[in-house]
Amino acid sequence: MPALQFCPLFSLLLLGCSSTVPVMEESSPGLSEDSGSPSSPPQGPGPPLRSKRSWVWNQFFVIEEYAGPEPVLIGRLHTDADRGEGRAKYLLTGEGAGSVFVIDDKTGNIHVTKSLDREEKEEYVLLAQAVDKLTLRPLEPPSQFIIKVQDINDNPPVFLHPPYRASVPEMSNVGTSVIQVTATDADDPTYGNSARLVYTVLEGQPYFSVDPQTGVIRTAIPNMDRETQDEFLVVIQAKDMGGHVGGLSGSTTVTVTLTDVNDNPPKFPQSLYQFTVLEDTAPGYVIGRLRAHDPDIGQNAVMSYNILDGDAGDTFSVMSDSAGQDGILRVQKPLDFESRRSFTFRVEVMNTVIDPQYIRRGPFKDVTTVRVTVGDVNESPLFSQNPYTLSVLENQPPGTLVGVVEARDPDLQSSSISYSIEPLSNPEELFIINPEDGTLRTSVFLDRENKKEHSITVTARETDSPSQVSQVGVVIQVLDINDNPPTLAEMYKPHVCDNAQAGQVIQTVRVKDADIENGVFHIQSPSSAFDGNFTLQDNKDGSASLLVKHSGFWRSQRDIFLVPIEIKDSGDPPLSSTDTLTVSLCHCETGGAVLTCHMTTGSATGLSTPALLAILACAFSLLAAKTQAISSVSV
């Protein structure tokens, strides 16, 4: 059987070039093993004879990136129909024919004209044909063949997404996965080892390792401590050819950050903190800060502070700042150097978040001692009370003792005190004060009914340090004495109907007293001046009722009735007064509605009966004189 002929030298370039294989049987006019020439006549009747193809080939191979002399012979086409007579002409068409691949039409030698790149194009499909040089009649049917570009290791591995960043918790166990890095190789993975990659660690040992096949980076040592080193630069190499010598390689960097875990308890850097604060420091003032050290970060380093024990009581407080780092020490209550000069107490700090995995490293708290020294300041005088409330009876002569205000210098080196009244608080100069002993006295008569209470401001000043001044308010209450007699609460205008019945109440009167009432009032009508038409009934509640004693007032010849009322208070001594009610006689309907009265009703409050009679007599005399004058004029 015919065989494809190769140049002996080309066998070095064509790796794996196929050997001759049997051709498929198919009709081929004029070209067969037994035919003497292409023009042999058919051999008798019957179906056409099937002849074997005289030339076949399998794949040709060209090594990529070949840099030898050009053009390079890669193979030869030959047909048995070519008996060396120069009749055969070889033709080549298809991909790259005439440019990349050229054929010698006389010999059938195929050459490649330039270096090829498999990664750019890995095979070429061509069509070969042998024809009669003169007639161009095919000597062989056209046949397709492939020229494959054979791979060489000309591409290094390339990582996909460099540079890489990854993180892993500190204290992780050996073998904890950190990240996977992946490289690619453009060489042919199906041919040889050109694309078989192996990963190794160039930098980053002994802390990290890499799986040589998968590129997974893992921790290689236990107990890596973020507080010692928090970042590592790992260099990973990918090498092809299975990592053997001569392989190409590529590398990438991986920055590995150790993330924090709460593996460190807080610690006070000092066993004793000392602060000084002046005694006049106001509550809420910040004395200072306590700072414990926790090498962890974030939530793992948040700390809380509190006072454990000692003599701080509730005088001081300690609270974490907004960041949870410092303990803020504040004054909670007023301080007094003269009574307490120092305080000593213990303060505890602890993490607010504790990881049970690392509890064995605890306890996650620490204790320190705090000493606060109270500093002395020159303080203003201190009054024994603030404010003072004093009292004095009304109507007492000027110079009456009201009370005493007292202030002292709280400092160890005390100074004497002088007292004065703030002028704006005592504009009428109702009170005076002894500047040496703080004795308050009245300077005028005081009337409780005019003003029940007075407020003044007393100033105390250190004689040795006049700038040290304090003031206090003094409230002086004016106490009542029984100096006002009781009277009727208003001017009453009672009337009695001419058809009034015995026992009927015609008026209820009430009593008032400018003094503070110390009991009930006694209300009565003097028997010597009492009108026999009425009865006065004391209700024992500061009021009295005027009752009709008998009926038949329609027969009365009088228009008014005078009823005296005597009122006595329960003071010590008791005071009394007498008022007179003027009762008018009125004509009324059966139901009590007034129709007419003979005289306007009223009361002569505060007038005695004789005085009222004198006023009435005077009025009658004036009326008579006026009538006589009018009569004289008329005559």
Side-chain angles (χ1 to χ4, degrees), residues 488-517:
L488 290 177
E490 59 181 277
M491 181 182 291
Y492 294 98
K493 299 178 181 180
H495 70 274
V496 60
C497 291
D498 52 9
N499 57 1
Q501 301 298 313
Q504 180 178 343
V505 176
I506 63 172
Q507 182 70 59
T508 298
V509 297
R510 300 199 66 83
V511 176
K512 67 178 180 178
D513 192 332
D515 297 318
I516 297 174
E517 299 181 17

Side-chain angles (χ1 to χ4, degrees), residues 279-280 377-383 407-411 413 415-419 459-471:
E279 62 177 325
D280 62 349
V377 296
N378 190 7
E379 299 174 88
S380 300
L382 182 65
F383 283 96
R408 64 178 180 84
D409 183 358
D411 299 316
Q413 301 295 326
S415 169
S416 59
I417 306 297
S418 64
Y419 302 92
T459 299
R461 188 184 308 272
E462 294 182 14
T463 55
D464 295 341
S465 301
S467 61
Q468 297 298 322
V469 176
S470 295
Q471 291 186 329

Side-chain angles (χ1 to χ4, degrees), residues 202-490:
L202 295 184
E203 293 183 31
Q205 295 174 327
Y207 305 103
F208 299 94
S209 64
V210 65
D211 188 299
Q213 306 303 321
T214 64
V216 174
I217 300 174
R218 301 180 185 276
T219 57
I221 64 172
N223 302 327
M224 284 194 291
D225 189 5
R226 185 200 66 83
E227 288 72 38
T228 302
Q229 182 175 348
D230 63 351
E231 192 171 272
F232 298 83
L233 185 65
V234 181
V235 179
I236 301 296
Q237 180 191 72
K239 189 174 184 180
D240 59 19
M241 298 298 291
H244 293 109
V245 176
L248 301 179
S249 64
S251 63
T252 188
T253 59
V254 181
T255 301
V256 181
T257 302
L258 296 184
T259 57
D260 188 57
V261 299
N262 192 9
D263 59 335
N264 293 281
K267 293 290 183 183
F268 282 109
Q270 302 172 218
S271 60
L272 175 65
Y273 289 82
Q274 299 192 69
F275 301 94
T276 299
V277 59
L278 296 177
E279 62 177 325
D280 62 349
T281 301
Y285 181 81
V286 176
I287 300 175
R289 291 174 175 258
L290 306 174
R291 172 166 291 185
H293 176 66
D294 190 333
D296 296 320
I297 58 175
Q299 285 294 109
N300 296 324
V302 175
M303 296 170 282
S304 63
Y305 296 80
N306 65 288
I307 297 176
L308 281 182
D309 51 33
D311 52 14
D314 56 354
T315 305
F316 304 97
S317 69
V318 61
M319 293 180 62
S320 299
D321 62 6
S322 59
Q325 296 297 300
D326 292 354
I328 309 301
L329 185 64
R330 298 178 186 270
V331 176
Q332 286 291 98
K333 293 175 61 177
L335 303 172
D336 184 15
F337 171 82
E338 287 69 33
S339 61
R340 187 74 178 270
R341 300 188 182 184
S342 68
F343 298 82
T344 302
F345 48 92
R346 296 196 307 156
V347 173
E348 180 186 67
V349 62
M350 63 185 303
N351 281 139
T352 59
V353 177
I354 298 176
D355 190 338
Q357 184 177 353
Y358 302 100
I359 195 68
R360 66 185 184 278
R361 293 173 172 264
F364 283 77
K365 58 185 177 182
D366 194 20
V367 177
T368 191
T369 300
V370 176
R371 181 174 297 143
V372 179
T373 301
V374 180
D376 187 28
V377 296
N378 190 7
E379 299 174 88
S380 300
L382 182 65
F383 283 96
S384 60
Q385 299 179 40
N386 189 7
Y388 286 87
T389 300
L390 306 176
S391 61
V392 63
L393 291 173
E394 64 176 330
N395 294 334
Q396 301 302 306
T400 299
L401 177 65
V402 177
V404 178
V405 295
E406 181 182 5
R408 64 178 180 84
D409 183 358
D411 299 316
L412 292 180
Q413 301 295 326
S414 60
S415 169
S416 59
I417 306 297
S418 64
Y419 302 92
S420 63
I421 298 176
E422 181 66 31
L424 293 178
S425 68
N426 189 32
E428 299 175 351
E429 299 182 350
L430 303 180
F431 305 96
I432 57 175
I433 192 170
N434 187 311
E436 296 181 357
D437 60 12
T439 301
L440 276 170
R441 297 181 181 274
T442 61
S443 59
V444 297
F445 286 93
L446 301 178
D447 185 5
R448 189 197 71 85
E449 287 70 43
N450 182 38
K451 191 171 183 179
K452 299 179 181 180
E453 190 174 274
H454 300 270
S455 295
I456 62 174
T457 300
V458 173
T459 299
R461 188 184 308 272
E462 294 182 14
T463 55
D464 295 341
S465 301
S467 61
Q468 297 298 322
V469 176
S470 295
Q471 291 186 329
V472 70
V474 180
V475 177
I476 302 172
Q477 297 174 340
V478 181
L479 303 180
D480 185 48
I481 64 173
N482 197 21
D483 60 342
N484 292 280
T487 62
L488 290 177
E490 59 181 277

Side-chain angles (χ1 to χ4, degrees), residues 40-234:
S40 301
Q43 302 177 7
L49 295 176
R50 297 180 58 86
S51 63
K52 295 182 180 180
R53 285 175 48 179
S54 298
W55 57 300
V56 297
W57 49 86
N58 213 343
Q59 294 179 347
F60 286 179
F61 293 89
V62 178
I63 296 179
E64 68 170 331
E65 307 293 346
Y66 176 70
E70 297 180 358
V72 177
L73 176 66
I74 62 172
R76 179 185 179 196
L77 300 181
H78 183 72
T79 178
D80 291 343
D82 182 3
R83 297 184 175 86
E85 302 171 351
R87 292 180 52 208
K89 180 180 182 179
Y90 296 95
L91 302 178
L92 186 66
T93 58
E95 296 179 326
S99 57
V100 178
F101 306 102
V102 295
I103 189 170
D104 186 324
D105 61 357
K106 296 181 178 65
T107 65
N109 290 336
I110 301 175
H111 294 78
V112 61
T113 62
K114 63 180 182 179
S115 176
L116 302 181
D117 186 359
R118 188 199 67 84
E119 287 69 43
E120 181 179 335
K121 187 173 181 62
E122 62 180 277
E123 66 178 23
Y124 296 81
V125 179
L126 296 122
L127 192 66
Q129 188 176 19
V131 299
D132 185 281
K133 183 177 181 180
L134 298 176
T135 64
L136 299 182
R137 186 173 68 89
L139 301 178
E140 290 279 1
S143 184
Q144 179 178 290
F145 69 98
I146 295 174
I147 297 179
K148 281 204 168 217
V149 181
Q150 184 170 304
D151 185 48
I152 63 171
N153 190 20
D154 62 340
N155 289 281
V158 176
F159 284 90
L160 297 178
H161 305 292
Y164 295 87
R165 296 196 68 89
S167 62
V168 65
E170 63 174 331
M171 300 296 168
S172 294
N173 295 327
V174 173
T176 300
S177 176
V178 179
I179 191 176
Q180 182 178 23
V181 294
T182 303
T184 60
D185 194 316
D187 293 322
D188 188 355
T190 64
Y191 180 76
N193 293 326
S194 297
R196 188 164 74 85
L197 306 182
V198 173
Y199 299 92
T200 56
V201 177
L202 295 184
E203 293 183 31
Q205 295 174 327
Y207 305 103
F208 299 94
S209 64
V210 65
D211 188 299
Q213 306 303 321
T214 64
V216 174
I217 300 174
R218 301 180 185 276
T219 57
I221 64 172
N223 302 327
M224 284 194 291
D225 189 5
R226 185 200 66 83
E227 288 72 38
T228 302
Q229 182 175 348
D230 63 351
E231 192 171 272
F232 298 83
L233 185 65
V234 181

